[in-house]
Amino acid sequence: MTPHSTALFQTYARSDLAFERGEGSWLIATDGRRFLDFAAGIAVNVVGHSHPHVVEALKHQADKLWHVSNLYRIPEQERLGARLTDVTFADRVFFGNSGAEAIELAIKLARRYQWANGAPERYRIITFEGAFHGRTIAAVNAGGQAKYLEGFGPRLEGFDQVPFGDLAALEAAIGQETAAILVEPVQGEGGIRPLPIEHLKAMRGLCDKHGLLLMFDEIQCGFGRTGHLFAHQAARVTPDVMAVAKALGAGFPVGACLATEAASAPMSLGTHGSTYGGNPLAMAVSNAVLDVVLADGFLDHVRRVSGRFVQGLSSLVARYPELFHDARGTGLILGLGCVVPNTDVLAAVRDEGLLAVGAGQNVLRLLPPLTVSEDEIDEALARLEAAAMALSGSDQPKAAGVGS
């Protein structure tokens, strides 16, 4: 414990780093050191740090109005809602402050939808092993990971978990009380695991067959992270409900639950609310972020730099098999499956001035801003190489085809 943290809850294993400013893909520490940021606030800073358009939008709104509550119309909220429905499957949007809040509404919505359609006994939601849906009681129970549930009382009733990618187990889990399927098209915390396109299509078919809602958690993989605006769009699968957050505010706290007209209709007057959700500051920032992400060529850029990065990561795996066993992911939600503890790799890359994130399955997660340049991708690969050399005790980069 450092003297600086004694007043805080001890719930984080914080690195002894503090930053005073950011510039695009870079963070500058209080001691002046520069770090290439491939953590991006855990997939949040999609347009990099201090993006001028987003900064200006926040300053402009801050000079006018911060908060009024949802007792009144909020024009920027209406504008953002219309823009999101224009580019997605959704007909309705509810704005909150976080991804966990978006998931909470999705859970409520699934139950309310079945109740309104004459089946109040249908309240259970099928989720998947390795999932991470947030930190509230409902969200951690939906995720089902033991490390997040320990010490918080009995399991919350209403969630049935099946193995990741097991369609037979999924179908077998559907019963008379099932209301919905909740899934991340790409698991982030669970180890950078994309679901195959055919699985997403099969889930849509099962939901249609059994009268269930298909609910996607795109909190981490949405808003361009996969090279598509949303991950499920690559499969051409339409959900009924989608939870988003993180990138939507690019660092300003905001989340949203998107839904079709049919799925959202039962959420009538007074069934849900939020004091801060959709306030003028959050909406101004989010609209500015959307300006950048929806600009011509933005997603093309993500796909182009992703190809360069994946090629470099695959080379590292081939040349350092004693450290890495695979490169995984899609777009710019990528990971290195580690042979050695991923905490050792995380510390080694940090020593080389590169920031990354750990993930399940002993994975090093790499989540650069989507505005990252090709030169910065090359710089990150060079720093990963230096970290690999240090971990393997080598004083020269390994040539292709050379193992340990």
Side-chain angles (χ1 to χ4, degrees), residues 281-331:
L281 283 174
M283 297 298 93
V285 170
S286 296
N287 269 307
V289 172
L290 214 56
D291 291 342
V292 180
V293 173
L294 294 180
D296 288 346
F298 185 87
L299 295 177
D300 292 335
H301 169 80
V302 173
R303 290 189 286 268
R304 184 171 61 254
V305 297
S306 169
R308 191 182 191 95
F309 200 15
V310 169
Q311 184 177 20
L313 293 176
S314 298
S315 174
L316 278 173
V317 170
R319 292 182 293 112
Y320 295 90
E322 74 277 22
L323 300 178
F324 311 117
H325 56 74
D326 74 327
R328 56 177 69 183
T330 182

Side-chain angles (χ1 to χ4, degrees), residues 68-90:
V68 294
S69 88
N70 285 291
L71 294 173
Y72 314 100
R73 288 182 55 207
I74 301 173
E76 281 287 288
Q77 184 182 132
E78 294 171 5
R79 176 173 176 250
L80 183 60
R83 296 177 78 188
L84 289 174
T85 57
D86 283 347
V87 296
T88 67
F89 69 93

